[in-house]
């Protein structure tokens, strides 16, 4: 085989020629599912920085623009970037704790956050080729454990949404539960009794029914929509020139490493679902896109970006695995960033509607992990211990977020991420049990196979 063919990027899934209406509807599902997470980060940071409602709206539009562009690059593959699989991108929660602290620091503020984001994105592009070589440390045992943990760590989000939202005055009200149940039941019934196109848009149908019911019950809040402009363009460096301070930059560089760890698990999960091999070269392209999106985001008034785990469940549940869908979804995000009224309308979807859909989709992520674990030697007691401890470590930040509150602040991007905790635990234990202990295990197995 020639060197040229060795260096070739593996074939990506074809950009299928689906009917335009179907592409738009399935792409819209992806947007609706990730929209809440996409706008949450700029909302939290904007409030921490004391911005006005108009400035926070600008931050949200900036985030939608960068998320849309990054999604298209990640799915389509442009130059040396993009994993060329159905991936949705958005602002990462891994950096929220650090950025809230920066927002209140004298002399740092938003400009310091943007400077740290730019520097961390550049750092990420430098280390992506090295991080991509860790694929060999992700056998099915580790991959299955990580993917199961991703689903389990997302599940509290689904439950909070289904109960009406974490900030709901009457959390768990029968009305919220009924709406979530309607959405979930609609999705399940479509999967049971219908086929093809209807299954592909089952989540959208369920959410539309839930939204209509919420509108009839007066639960859709559109106040302030009339004041939003029809068109608004995102301008770079809107809040002034970025500031580059050492401490915030170091903190954000650590965040980028954690994002890479999380993204590696997500890319491997998506590879299993779509039947695509995620080799080191392909992983490098995906991580490069994550880092470049963060670098670009700092100039366009937004924050570190990463791949969104919740959309993996949608790919698995609907069976639509072509990247053309997320390319269209990226285009929809860009359109929403330019049309504040449309973005406002999407943001008005009540949490209970999202919750009904999320229970099924996040559960599907965990189910994918369990399926992958079947490929591993799960009958081995050490491997069982690896899975048990790693999933337990991943659930610590989910069950008690304050568990690690007394540890150094610089560790918070790791200790507050269930995905990062589970991934690091699985990698270390696999190294201890199966790689460093490989010779010892082989000898034990040989003893059992040939007793004296």
């Amino acid at each position: 085989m020639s060197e040229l063919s060795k260096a070739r990027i593996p074939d990506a899934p074809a950009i299928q020629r689906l009917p335009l209406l179907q592409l738009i509807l399935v792409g819209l599902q992806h947007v609706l599912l990730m929209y809440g997470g996409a706008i949450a980060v700029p909302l939290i940071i904007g409030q921490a920085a004391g911005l006005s409602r108009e400035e926070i709206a600008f931050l949200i539009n900036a985030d939608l623009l960068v998320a849309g562009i990054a999604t298209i690059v990640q799915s389509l593959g442009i130059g040396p970037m993009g994993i060329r699989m159905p991936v949705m991108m958005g602002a990462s929660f891994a950096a929220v704790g650090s950025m809230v602290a920066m927002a209140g620091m004298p002399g740092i503020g938003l400009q310091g956050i943007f400077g740290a984001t730019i520097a961390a994105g550049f750092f990420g592009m430098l280390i992506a080729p090295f991080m991509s070589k860790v694929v060999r440390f992700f056998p099915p045992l580790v991959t299955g454990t990580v993917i199961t943990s991703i689903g389990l760590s997302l599940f509290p989000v689904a439950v909070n949404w289904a109960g009406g939202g974490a900030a709901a005055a009457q959390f768990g009200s029968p009305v919220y539960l009924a709406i979530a149940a309607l959405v979930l039941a609609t999705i399940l019934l479509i999967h049971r009794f219908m086929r093809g196109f209807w299954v592909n848009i089952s989540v959208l149908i369920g959410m539309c029914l839930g939204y209509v019911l919420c509108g009839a019950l007066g639960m859709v809040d559109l106040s302030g929509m009339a004041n939003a402009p029809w068109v608004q363009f995102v301008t770079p460096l809107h809040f002034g020139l970025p500031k580059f301070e050492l401490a915030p930059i170091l903190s954000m560089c650590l965040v980028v490493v954690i994002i890479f760890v999380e993204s590696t698990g997500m890319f491997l999960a998506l590879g299993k679902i779509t039947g695509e091999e995620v080799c080191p070269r392909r992983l490098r392209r995906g991580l490069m896109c994550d880092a470049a999106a963060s670098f670009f985001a700092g100039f366009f008034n937004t924050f570190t970006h990463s791949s969104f785990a919740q959309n993996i469940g949608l790919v698995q549940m609907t069976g639509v695995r072509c990247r053309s869908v997320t390319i269209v979804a990226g285009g929809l995000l860009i359109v929403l960033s330019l049309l504040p009224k449309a973005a406002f309308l999407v943001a008005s979807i009540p949490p209970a509607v999202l919750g009904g859909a999320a229970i099924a989709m996040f559960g599907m992520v965990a189910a994918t992990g369990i399926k992958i674990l079947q490929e591993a030697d799960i009958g081995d007691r050490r491997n069982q211990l690896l899975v048990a401890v790693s999933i337990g470590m991943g659930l610590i930040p989910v069950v008690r977020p304050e568990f690690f509150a007394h540890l150094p602040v610089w560790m918070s991007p790791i200790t507050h991420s269930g995905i990062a905790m589970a991934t690091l635990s699985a990698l270390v234990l696999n190294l201890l049990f199966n790689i460093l202990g490989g010779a010892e295990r082989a000898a034990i197995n040989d003893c059992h196979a040939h007793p004296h």
Side-chain angles (χ1 to χ4, degrees):
M1 186 184 290
S2 69
E3 290 300 315
L4 181 62
S5 52
K6 281 182 184 176
R8 187 171 165 273
I9 299 301
D11 288 336
I15 301 181
Q16 298 175 10
R17 295 184 178 277
L18 297 175
L20 181 60
L21 177 61
Q22 185 172 350
L23 269 180
I24 293 172
L25 291 177
V26 181
L28 183 59
Q29 281 184 142
H30 276 285
V31 171
L32 295 180
L33 180 63
M34 60 86 68
Y35 193 88
I39 69 172
V41 175
L43 191 61
I44 293 167
I45 305 305
Q47 290 172 344
L51 300 184
S52 67
R53 186 168 182 174
E54 291 75 18
E55 289 174 320
I56 291 175
F58 185 90
L59 273 187
I60 290 172
N61 286 344
D63 182 65
L64 294 175
L65 175 66
V66 174
I69 294 170
T71 295
I72 291 172
V73 173
Q74 190 72 277
S75 303
L76 183 62
I78 297 176
M81 298 176 192
I83 200 165
R84 302 169 78 190
M85 291 198 295
V87 176
M88 294 295 295
M89 300 279 291
S92 172
F93 277 89
V96 167
S98 300
M99 291 191 295
V100 167
M102 290 179 212
M105 289 181 187
I108 304 295
L110 271 181
Q111 291 166 292
I113 292 173
F114 295 145
T117 301
I118 293 168
F122 182 72
F123 169 74
M125 287 190 281
L126 293 179
I127 67 167
F130 305 100
M131 289 291 292
S132 65
K133 298 184 187 302
V134 302
V135 173
R136 63 194 181 95
F137 295 110
F138 281 83
L141 178 67
V142 174
T143 304
T145 302
V146 170
I147 296 168
T148 303
S149 296
I150 290 173
L152 294 177
S153 66
L154 287 171
F155 213 75
V157 177
V159 174
N160 277 329
W161 282 345
Q170 293 182 309
F171 181 83
S173 163
V175 176
Y176 296 141
L177 302 186
I179 291 164
L182 170 70
V183 175
L184 179 58
T186 302
I187 294 169
L188 294 175
L189 289 172
I190 289 173
H191 275 260
R192 171 62 182 84
F193 294 107
M194 306 186 86
R195 295 288 181 272
F197 173 71
W198 297 106
V199 170
N200 294 348
I201 62 166
S202 58
V203 175
L204 182 62
I205 294 171
M207 291 176 68
C208 285
L209 283 176
Y211 188 83
V212 169
L213 177 59
C214 288
L217 295 174
M219 296 169 59
V220 176
D221 182 13
L222 295 175
S223 60
M225 184 175 175
N227 298 327
W230 281 103
V231 178
Q232 184 179 45
F233 292 96
V234 175
T235 51
L237 304 179
H238 178 80
F239 295 93
L241 292 174
K243 295 179 181 176
F244 298 94
E245 302 286 342
L246 182 60
I249 287 173
L250 293 176
S251 175
M252 294 295 273
C253 285
L254 176 61
V255 166
V256 164
V257 174
I258 299 306
I259 287 173
F260 278 3
V261 171
E262 293 180 350
S263 290
T264 298
M266 293 175 204
F267 291 149
L268 291 171
L270 199 55
K272 292 289 186 181
I273 291 169
T274 59
E276 296 292 320
E277 180 192 355
V278 181
C279 62
R281 193 178 298 113
R282 194 167 201 170
L283 179 58
R284 183 180 69 234
R285 291 176 62 90
L287 297 180
M288 281 288 286
C289 186
D290 274 12
S294 298
F295 179 78
F296 181 70
F299 291 103
F300 273 79
N301 321 290
T302 187
F303 315 104
T304 48
H305 274 54
S306 66
S307 307
F308 265 39
Q310 52 261 52
N311 290 82
I312 295 173
L314 184 57
V315 173
Q316 169 75 330
M317 195 170 73
T318 63
V320 181
R321 299 167 186 178
C322 59
R323 57 201 175 108
S324 51
V325 170
T326 48
I327 292 170
V328 169
L332 291 175
L333 286 172
I334 294 172
V335 170
L336 286 174
S337 77
L338 301 174
L339 304 174
K341 284 187 185 292
F344 198 104
L345 188 65
V346 175
S348 70
I349 298 173
V353 174
L354 294 170
I359 286 173
M361 285 180 292
F362 297 170
M364 286 294 282
V365 177
T368 300
I370 294 169
K371 180 182 176 184
I372 294 168
L373 281 173
Q374 294 174 352
E375 302 173 23
D377 181 14
I378 203 65
D380 187 290
R381 189 177 298 274
R382 290 183 183 178
N383 289 346
Q384 292 173 8
L385 194 58
L386 181 151
V387 174
V389 171
S390 299
I391 289 178
M393 293 296 286
L395 287 175
I396 289 173
V398 173
V399 177
R400 291 301 295 265
E402 71 278 16
F403 187 83
F404 296 110
H406 297 290
L407 293 182
V409 176
W410 65 266
M411 294 182 67
S412 61
I414 304 171
T415 56
H416 283 72
S417 168
I419 298 171
M421 290 286 290
T423 302
L424 292 174
S425 173
L427 285 171
V428 170
L429 290 179
N430 185 57
L431 187 68
L432 176 66
F433 290 161
N434 298 322
I435 297 178
L436 297 180
E440 174 195 345
R441 175 173 292 196
I444 293 172
N445 290 341
D446 191 52
C447 244
H448 287 315
H450 303 93
H452 293 295

